[in-house]
Amino acid sequence: MDGPIGKIVQILECVATKNDKPLSVCSNISFEEYIKQVLEWIYDREEAYILALCYLIKIDDKFATSINSETVHALYFVCLSLALKFLEDGEIKNAQLAEIGQMDLAELNELQMDIFSALDFNCVISENNFEEVKRKLMMFQNNSADEKRNPSKKITVQMIFDQQSACRSKIQTTSSSSQ
């Protein structure tokens, strides 16, 4: 899986794996396979997938949500469903989304309300915030070998972005000093 959506999958798999165990919860499929199935039904609208990641970062920062193999499928899909509804002005029905996401309709409704409440009932993300997440996403490189060597108790999407930025700054500083 290429492009921003592929990178979102890599980041969330990295976070979930780091916080738990290898992913294989939703219908015994990996998160990547789950997103591939979702993509078959929900057209490849890049900004919706990035907006969903913005929501996930926002609630993760606010509540220290534990993204792990038990939660990653549902959390990301519910954020994606809210992003799609926001971008499509509510034209997508929850019954259809529940089927696509392999979720019970009542569970989807409840989780949407929980996440919408965690977002302070505001699905608007500033253009600067959106562009910053998109920029970090485009610069992301999966360093899962580094993650295995340096385990920590819990990791978030923002921590991965920050770690990537710190590594780039260190490399840029080193190369500037040696000139």
Side-chain angles (χ1 to χ4, degrees):
M1 195 176 280
D2 296 326
I5 297 170
K7 290 183 182 225
I8 290 169
V9 168
Q10 289 177 353
I11 289 168
L12 293 178
E13 282 184 330
C14 181
V15 170
T17 302
K18 179 78 174 188
N19 289 336
D20 197 295
K21 56 189 181 243
L23 298 171
S24 60
V25 175
C26 188
S27 302
N28 294 322
I29 61 172
S30 72
F31 183 66
E32 180 177 4
E33 288 301 314
Y34 178 72
I35 293 300
K36 282 180 183 178
Q37 287 182 7
V38 168
L39 278 169
E40 289 177 16
W41 298 100
I42 299 175
Y43 54 97
D44 187 0
R45 184 154 181 199
E46 189 177 287
E47 57 273 355
Y49 288 85
I50 295 171
L51 185 58
L53 184 61
C54 291
Y55 293 162
L56 197 56
I57 291 168
K58 191 172 178 179
I59 64 170
D60 196 30
D61 288 346
K62 188 173 181 179
F63 296 103
T65 307
S66 184
I67 299 171
N68 58 48
S69 65
E70 306 261 329
T71 62
V72 69
H73 295 77
L75 280 174
Y76 186 72
F77 184 77
V78 173
C79 288
L80 178 61
S81 72
L82 289 173
L84 286 165
K85 287 178 142 203
F86 177 74
L87 293 171
E88 298 295 327
D89 201 22
E91 291 182 21
I92 299 171
K93 305 291 182 225
N94 274 2
Q96 180 185 11
L97 287 169
E99 189 175 323
I100 293 166
Q102 303 171 22
M103 298 177 78
D104 178 67
L105 178 58
E107 179 185 24
L108 177 62
N109 290 335
E110 183 179 341
L111 289 172
Q112 279 182 338
M113 284 306 299
D114 289 346
I115 290 178
F116 194 42
S117 174
L119 293 170
D120 297 323
F121 301 97
N122 183 2
C123 287
V124 176
I125 299 291
S126 73
E127 187 176 343
N128 288 343
N129 187 329
F130 182 88
E131 290 301 322
E132 178 71 8
V133 168
K134 186 176 179 180
R135 182 186 64 75
K136 288 178 178 180
L137 188 59
M138 299 314 288
M139 292 175 19
F140 173 75
Q141 294 175 0
N142 190 357
N143 295 327
S144 55
D146 291 341
E147 293 298 323
K148 289 175 185 167
R149 285 194 303 264
N150 301 315
S152 66
K153 199 163 196 165
K154 180 182 179 287
I155 190 167
T156 65
V157 173
Q158 190 61 49
M159 288 168 67
I160 288 179
F161 281 156
D162 292 345
Q163 182 181 37
Q164 293 275 315
S165 295
C167 288
R168 274 189 199 75
S169 295
K170 202 180 287 185
I171 290 167
Q172 289 171 349
T173 304
T174 306
S175 62
S176 297
S177 302
S178 62
Q179 292 179 354

